[in-house]
Amino acid sequence: KALVDVTFDLMQLVRPRMMAHQRALKATECPLLIDSRCRILRPDPPNRDDVEEGTLIGTAVSPGTAMGRVRVMRSPDERFESGEILAATVTSPAWTPLFSGASAVVLQIGGA
């Protein structure tokens, strides 16, 4: 629309998306998982009876295990070293270049 109508307000289109992105960045819990095909996944809740304090509990979306230093990041612009475990609340396509160097990715909101 903006290419043919010079009076079209792009910010009117962008503003709701920016607000949704900002809400996602501030999220403190993950109510559900969504895979790459936008299917909502409802895994069985983990058994928390015999878990040591401080243990992270979640649902794996890919096989394997990883070990390494965990780097908690809020922005893809922060320093990240190859081999570290990338931990973030949520990511966007801007984070993609970091994934190949990460030994694992841990997200609070996200999925396959």
Side-chain angles (χ1 to χ4, degrees), residues 18-79:
M18 287 173 46
M19 290 171 47
H21 180 71
Q22 290 302 317
R23 277 193 310 275
L25 290 174
K26 294 177 183 175
T28 58
E29 59 183 281
C30 180
L32 49 90
L33 295 173
I34 302 173
D35 73 6
S36 61
R37 294 186 179 91
C38 294
R39 294 178 297 194
I40 296 174
L41 307 174
R42 292 185 175 87
D44 294 332
N47 181 359
R48 297 182 177 174
D49 295 337
D50 55 347
V51 176
E52 293 180 34
E53 186 175 333
T55 300
L56 296 177
I57 299 173
T59 302
V61 294
S62 63
T65 59
M67 292 182 63
R69 177 183 298 217
V70 176
R71 172 94 47 187
V72 178
M73 300 177 67
R74 298 192 187 285
S75 164
D77 299 327
E78 295 176 25
R79 187 173 72 94

Side-chain angles (χ1 to χ4, degrees), residues 68-111:
R69 177 183 298 217
V70 176
R71 172 94 47 187
V72 178
M73 300 177 67
R74 298 192 187 285
S75 164
D77 299 327
E78 295 176 25
R79 187 173 72 94
F80 180 76
E81 296 179 17
S82 184
E84 291 181 323
I85 297 171
L86 189 158
T89 301
V90 65
T91 62
S92 69
W95 293 75
T96 304
L98 300 175
F99 297 157
S100 63
S103 63
V105 178
V106 178
L107 300 176
Q108 189 168 8
I109 300 172

